Every structure is written in structure tokens, then in C-alpha cells.
Amino acid sequence: MKNLIKVERARNDMSQAALAEKVNVTRQTIHAIEKGRFVPSTALAFKIASIFNIKVDELFELEESDWKAN
Amino acid sequence: MKTNRQSLVSWFIRGNFYLGLAFILLAIGALIFEVVKNGNWFVESLIGLLGMGLLFLFFSGRPMADERIRYLKFKSLAIGFVFTCIAGTITNYITTYPDGNQDGAISSYWFTLVCLLVAFISFTILKFKE
């Protein structure tokens, strides 16, 4: 799953640690989500999107491989 | 957004860090006392206490338990269980073969302790790897 968290962070001049604190997760979790190593839950995805004042589907995008993965 | 979390899981996750620490300190203290006094204690119960302490530490939310940490803990516990099952079966087979003497076999207390130690190590590795 692709995401634009890094782009939105840069746009809002926000560090990983600051975002992590706002959504109450560890900085490593934000890093893992940005790198695509961890797919967040629906609640966390909504929280992150609301921090950036955008919709979830603007922040996250499904890839072809997501349809094959279980 | 409210999630339906199981009460037992919640009880563990909300943190019993100090209880776990107390169990471990109690076990270590008892072990030292046993060595100093040269008493005839049942070592397995100390190992059990140590295992219980590790269990509480493992499931406590320290320093922070978010959804990724919980996922990694679950994964590392599965690794620990599988590893200990295989290692325990081999160890028990070697120690009890061929006469069937059960004295050298590892107990369930040791199994728990080794499982949790492997889970702790796996969790530390996975935390940096994933």
C-alpha cells in the first residue's frame, strides 16, 4: 500500500516524532508505515489523515500487489 | 472509534510492568537466598516465578504499546513457542532416550521461561528489522 505521509509531513513541516505523538504511536511505527513495511489499522489511518486535514484515500493508495496479498 | 477488546488482553496490555518486575526480583532474591543459605528449595517454582515475571513484562505496555508493537509481540511469541517446542522436543528426546528416564527432561516451567526469553530476543530483533 502506497502512502503520502512523508510528502504530507514535509508539506506541514512535521517530524515523524511529532506526528507519532499526535496519533499516540511510536516514531518507529510512523517510519514503518512510511516505508510500507506496516499497514496501519483503519482507526490509525483516519487519525493520520485527520492530522493532515485530508481524506484517507488521498493519503493511502492500494497497489496491484495488495489485491493478491491475503 | 471504540474497539471490542478482550478484557484479559486489555488487563495485560494496560501494564503490569511493576508486578512483572516484582516477580523477577522476588525470584532472583529467592535464588540468592537459596544459594547463600544452601537451602533445599524447589528450583522449578523459582523458574516458574521468573517466567511469570517475564510474561507480565512482555505484555506490559512499556515503554509504549501501539498496534505495531502488539503485532510484533504476537509474532515474536509465536516464534518463541515454535522454537521452544522444537528445541524442547529434541532435548527431551535426547535426555530421555534410550532408558526413558524423565529426570533430565525439561519441565513446563523451563519451557515457559525459554519461550519468553526467545520471544523477548525475537521482539528486539523484529523491532529494528520490521
Side-chain angles (χ1 to χ4, degrees):
Chain A
M1 191 180 280
K2 282 197 294 189
N3 66 76
L4 298 172
I5 295 176
K6 197 172 182 177
V7 176
E8 289 299 326
R9 270 199 313 106
R11 193 178 287 165
N12 289 275
D13 194 23
M14 193 183 286
S15 66
Q16 285 183 342
L19 177 60
E21 198 181 339
K22 280 178 190 289
V23 295
N24 203 25
V25 295
T26 58
R27 190 195 61 77
Q28 287 84 358
T29 299
I30 298 294
H31 179 73
I33 294 168
E34 276 186 11
K35 292 285 176 189
R37 291 202 299 260
F38 179 71
V39 179
S41 66
T42 318
L44 182 56
F46 270 100
K47 280 183 197 173
I48 296 169
S50 81
I51 295 292
F52 296 130
N53 284 318
I54 54 172
K55 289 179 180 175
V56 177
D57 58 357
E58 288 175 304
L59 194 60
F60 294 94
E61 191 185 328
L62 279 174
E63 289 177 294
E64 194 62 39
S65 58
D66 291 317
W67 293 99
K68 292 168 190 167
N70 51 12
Chain B
M1 204 174 286
K2 198 175 177 183
T3 53
N4 295 322
R5 191 183 286 165
Q6 295 291 323
S7 59
L8 182 66
V9 174
S10 174
W11 187 67
F12 273 119
I13 288 169
R14 274 181 194 158
N16 290 282
F17 180 79
Y18 293 109
L19 190 63
L21 211 60
F23 275 137
I24 289 174
L25 289 174
L26 192 68
I28 292 170
L31 198 66
I32 292 168
F33 184 77
E34 183 190 3
V35 171
V36 171
K37 293 287 180 185
N38 197 23
N40 190 20
W41 286 39
F42 186 47
V43 179
E44 296 294 321
S45 62
L46 295 180
I47 298 299
L49 197 61
L50 202 60
M52 200 182 283
L54 280 178
L55 186 77
F56 278 110
L57 280 190
F58 189 74
F59 283 106
S60 74
R62 297 299 177 95
M64 183 190 244
D66 60 19
E67 55 191 63
R68 179 175 153 270
I69 297 291
R70 280 197 284 272
Y71 163 72
L72 291 180
K73 280 188 176 178
F74 177 75
K75 199 173 174 180
S76 53
L77 196 61
I79 291 169
F81 184 77
V82 171
F83 175 84
T84 318
C85 273
I86 294 167
T89 305
I90 293 168
T91 309
N92 280 348
Y93 179 78
I94 291 168
T95 52
T96 58
Y97 185 81
D99 55 356
N101 186 9
Q102 301 288 316
D103 292 344
I106 62 165
S107 67
S108 56
Y109 293 113
W110 276 106
F111 181 92
T112 311
L113 186 69
V114 173
C115 179
L116 285 164
L117 283 175
V118 173
F120 260 106
I121 295 164
S122 306
F123 174 66
T124 310
I125 295 166
L126 287 174
K127 207 164 62 170
F128 291 106
K129 198 178 161 192
E130 290 193 10

